[in-house]
Amino acid sequence: MIKLFTGSRWKAIGLPFVFLAPALALYAIFFIYPFAFTFILSFQHWDMIGPDKPFVGWDNYVSLNRDEVFWKSLKNTFLYMFMTMPLSLIIGFLLALILESLMRGRAFYRFVFYLPVVSSIVVISILWSMMYDQQHGIVNELLSVFGIEGPNWLSQSSTSLWAVAIVGIWKSFGYEMLLYISGLKAIDKGLYEAASIDGAGRLRKLVHLTLPLLSPITLFIVIMGMISSFQNFALIKIMTGGGPNNSSNVLVYQLYQEAFQFFSIGKAAAISILLFLIVLAITVVQLKISRKLVHY
Amino acid sequence: MIRYRKLTEETVKQLLLLGLVGLVLLPIFWMISISLRSEEYVFSGHLLWTGPIHWDGYKKALWDIPFFDWLANSLRIGVLQTLGQLFIGACAAFAFAYYRFPGRDILFLFVLMTMMIPMQVTLVPTYLIVNQMNALNTFSGVIVPHLASGFVIFLLRQSFLTLPKELAEAATIDGCGPLRVMWNVYVRLSGTILWTLGVLSFLSNFNEFNWPLLVLTDSEKMPLPLAFQYFRSETQMEWGATMALATLSMIPVLILYLIAQRYIVDGFAQSGVKG
């Protein structure tokens, strides 16, 4: 054993693992093991209190299949993603373009638009819940200036998810903007000059130069944006609690409810596994598509 | 003529952006405004921008709850967790960027994957493990499970890869061991990205909600984001005090962000964020 790991062999193989050891140990304990644990739990019944964890096969999954709340949460999870991600990405991109072409004030705008990103999600959720208040909130107060009587945004099935999604967009577009700004800065300005000499107008430069050159960043934003929209927990927990009538419930919140309110751990674990499979599928599909579209 | 067109364009853009600034800042102005009103005034149907200044909300937020203790808890969690994430991340990123070893690419792919899987997927077992370690209701129970951060490892590796390997080789020839190569060459030359990651990680750890909510139950150990429940019951909420607390808890974040903001853009640009 000692002989195996002496001299150059040790340096080549042993050393990197010494540097990796802390991270790998943490991942093993707090990621791989819990993950395997979740997988097993999804085939068991358990209330977290008693020691009994009877194996029940696909029961948890079957009960999810019959569970109306689950289908609603699943639908809402995707709805929320399609409400927030594209808009936040487009706003972020346009702002990055405009800001980079400005003569003055760039730093100021960047500062303001990134402010919601660094703000505490709890503060934001509470602040916006009050803003949405039917009687005293600023949203309806402003609407009433135009003679519109606003609804009770958060406690009405037809508006609750949208109301949360608006906050999601408000909080995230600055992040996308910043990533695009850093991408724009990295583009070689000579390319634009060359294109100008060839007689390309602004739109052509945007479509044939800027967009393709930024496509790796767009891919990164789309994947990370979709995944983070799947993790939208604090907004739902604080603003609506999934209500009314589960109209704003999403998978991560239902998972939390099943585990820590109803103590049906098996069912929560089954939701976890499904959530994982969905995220995995989305990522794989996106990477596959991107092979064709993304230019490095 | 061209100059003239450019100027109009600039003006249009500026007006558009200023409008958006108004929209983005509206909630913040409103928060500050409410924090300065009395409860009766808020519910009296007046326009909320105006009205007499009233400091009761701030008095309640600062003295009716142990505000400074909870702030200290948040800062402690934020700082320790961030330092740990940077240290562990730098070690791992160094291994990925500097060495070639069997399994490297697969391990790196694994790190990327940990970034993509929502932490809620492993929430229940992680909670149980922390419970088994008797670490529920402790700061280490909050901090340790998230010390290995895929985001930090990924961005640091990207940034380390941009450094010329010759530098590290020169240092080795001069007799530096691997630890000193990592520290003197890679870490020292990655100041911007380290600051950027430090600030971003600190802010997200400082603001984290879901995990501390589960782990910490003692009110003494609570971080600031959990303090809001004290001004909120099932049916009612104290608007002035809640908004004062919100305003107060944004101040540390704002200060740090003001100091560090110029690093953030450069840091992203330097690391070449790519998929």
Side-chain angles (χ1 to χ4, degrees):
Chain A
M1 192 64 197
I2 291 165
K3 249 195 182 158
L4 253 175
F5 278 117
T6 47
S8 60
R9 229 190 130 83
W10 159 253
K11 266 186 199 150
I13 301 171
L15 268 178
F17 281 99
V18 172
F19 282 99
L20 282 172
L24 293 182
L26 283 164
Y27 277 134
I29 301 169
F30 295 109
F31 187 80
I32 299 173
Y33 176 63
F35 191 79
F37 201 164
T38 303
F39 187 72
I40 294 166
L41 277 175
S42 77
F43 296 103
Q44 294 174 326
H45 265 318
W46 192 33
D47 58 8
M48 204 148 53
I49 300 152
D52 287 345
K53 286 185 246 178
F55 180 82
V56 294
W58 294 95
D59 253 26
N60 291 315
Y61 294 93
V62 172
S63 84
L64 278 181
N65 187 23
R66 288 205 211 98
D67 185 356
E68 232 177 89
V69 179
F70 170 74
W71 288 108
K72 237 178 187 173
S73 304
L74 183 69
K75 196 186 93 192
N76 286 338
T77 305
F78 277 96
L79 265 178
Y80 180 82
M81 180 181 83
F82 286 120
M83 287 169 177
T84 53
M85 226 277 297
L87 266 174
S88 162
L89 182 135
I90 290 167
I91 297 171
F93 177 69
L94 291 177
L95 280 178
L97 275 186
I98 295 175
L99 253 57
E100 280 304 283
S101 71
L102 273 189
M103 286 186 253
R104 38 177 70 230
R106 286 183 202 193
F108 168 73
Y109 293 121
R110 221 163 57 188
F111 176 79
V112 171
F113 296 145
Y114 200 66
L115 192 59
V117 181
V118 294
S119 306
S120 149
I121 188 87
V122 175
V123 169
I124 282 170
S125 313
I126 290 172
L127 171 56
W128 277 85
S129 324
M130 290 183 168
M131 287 172 55
Y132 280 130
D133 188 273
Q134 187 172 23
Q135 274 143 36
H136 312 290
I138 180 92
V139 175
N140 283 353
E141 199 177 318
L142 286 178
L143 285 177
S144 73
V145 174
F146 302 101
I148 304 166
E149 200 185 318
N152 200 347
W153 296 93
L154 293 173
S155 30
Q156 203 163 298
S157 297
S158 53
T159 51
S160 61
L161 195 63
W162 272 107
V164 177
I166 287 169
V167 185
I169 296 168
W170 179 81
K171 174 141 173 74
S172 65
F173 75 87
Y175 182 65
E176 269 92 67
M177 175 196 77
L178 205 72
L179 286 174
Y180 275 124
I181 287 177
S182 73
L184 285 171
K185 279 192 194 299
I187 294 178
D188 179 7
K189 296 293 171 292
L191 289 172
Y192 288 106
E193 279 160 32
S196 298
I197 292 166
D198 290 344
R202 276 177 145 187
L203 193 67
R204 287 189 66 127
K205 276 191 260 184
L206 180 71
V207 174
H208 293 288
L209 271 179
T210 315
L211 285 178
L213 286 169
L214 289 178
S215 58
I217 291 191
T218 306
L219 174 70
F220 180 81
I221 291 177
V222 169
I223 293 184
M224 294 319 286
M226 286 175 111
I227 293 165
S228 73
S229 78
F230 271 65
Q231 301 182 33
N232 167 34
F233 173 79
L235 284 180
I236 300 290
K237 166 114 176 71
I238 297 169
M239 292 180 73
T240 67
N245 193 20
N246 291 305
S247 60
S248 66
N249 209 341
V250 290
L251 287 182
V252 287
Y253 188 68
Q254 199 199 352
L255 188 166
Y256 171 86
Q257 283 182 313
E258 293 291 347
F260 296 100
Q261 285 174 15
F262 312 141
F263 299 107
S264 63
I265 304 296
K267 207 168 158 190
I271 298 175
S272 304
I273 294 300
L274 292 172
L275 188 65
F276 162 70
L277 290 176
I278 294 168
V279 169
L280 187 73
I282 287 176
T283 316
V284 169
V285 168
Q286 277 177 340
L287 287 174
K288 280 255 156 71
I289 295 173
S290 69
R291 293 251 158 80
K292 289 182 192 142
L293 298 177
V294 173
H295 305 254
Y296 282 99
Chain B
M1 192 60 190
I2 290 170
R3 209 187 134 84
Y4 177 73
R5 236 183 71 187
K6 265 206 158 151
L7 269 178
T8 358
E9 206 186 290
E10 173 92 0
T11 318
V12 171
K13 281 179 191 166
Q14 294 280 0
L15 288 176
L16 200 94
L17 289 171
L18 282 174
L20 199 61
V21 165
L23 267 180
V24 170
L25 291 184
L26 178 92
I28 312 232
F29 287 141
W30 196 68
M31 171 180 83
I32 297 169
S33 166
I34 300 276
S35 73
L36 292 167
R37 310 281 167 245
S38 69
E39 234 36 31
E40 302 84 62
Y41 196 84
V42 170
F43 296 117
S44 65
H46 287 92
L47 253 179
L48 291 171
W49 315 101
T50 55
I53 299 277
H54 196 85
W55 293 101
D56 252 24
Y58 284 91
K59 277 184 206 147
K60 276 187 189 156
L62 284 171
W63 313 120
D64 283 9
I65 55 169
F67 175 84
F68 293 100
D69 294 343
W70 290 345
L71 176 66
N73 290 342
S74 286
L75 289 172
R76 197 152 132 204
I77 293 173
V79 169
L80 290 176
Q81 193 169 347
T82 305
L83 288 178
Q85 283 174 340
L86 287 182
F87 176 72
I88 286 163
C91 290
F94 173 69
F96 282 126
Y98 182 65
Y99 291 105
R100 299 185 60 109
F101 52 92
R104 185 187 64 174
D105 297 340
I106 288 176
L107 279 177
F108 186 65
L109 211 67
F110 168 78
V111 171
L112 286 182
M113 212 182 70
T114 64
M115 241 166 103
M116 289 175 181
I117 292 172
M119 71 88 110
Q120 283 92 351
V121 168
T122 51
L123 190 68
V124 176
T126 311
Y127 177 82
L128 296 172
I129 292 166
V130 171
N131 181 27
Q132 255 167 24
M133 292 175 163
N134 276 326
L136 278 188
N137 212 6
T138 64
F139 289 126
S140 37
V142 178
I143 295 170
V144 175
H146 299 112
L147 277 184
S149 156
F151 182 68
V152 171
I153 298 175
F154 169 66
L155 280 179
L156 274 180
R157 173 200 175 252
Q158 298 301 97
S159 154
F160 284 175
L161 282 177
T162 62
L163 298 173
K165 243 187 160 167
E166 287 79 15
L167 277 173
E169 278 156 14
T172 316
I173 291 165
D174 288 346
C176 282
L179 208 64
R180 283 181 58 195
V181 171
M182 177 186 115
W183 182 254
N184 285 340
V185 180
Y186 283 80
V187 171
R188 289 272 178 93
L189 291 178
S190 305
T192 315
I193 185 71
L194 278 168
W195 276 110
T196 310
L197 279 174
V199 171
L200 291 179
S201 303
F202 174 81
L203 288 173
S204 84
N205 299 333
F206 183 82
N207 292 333
E208 173 59 41
F209 169 69
N210 193 1
W211 183 242
L213 169 75
L214 288 176
V215 175
L216 299 174
T217 42
D218 257 14
S219 78
E220 279 155 50
K221 293 189 177 130
M222 264 198 324
L224 216 40
L226 300 187
F228 288 91
Q229 64 199 59
Y230 279 80
F231 297 119
R232 190 185 198 187
S233 67
E234 278 295 309
T235 49
Q236 210 180 322
M237 194 187 248
E238 290 185 59
W239 283 41
T242 305
M243 288 295 97
L245 182 59
T247 310
L248 287 170
S249 57
M250 263 191 86
I251 291 174
V253 171
L254 205 64
I255 292 172
L256 181 66
Y257 175 43
L258 267 171
I259 297 169
Q261 56 139 342
R262 66 199 174 90
Y263 288 115
I264 295 177
V265 180
D266 295 346
F268 271 122
Q270 208 185 56
S271 69
V273 175
K274 280 180 185 171

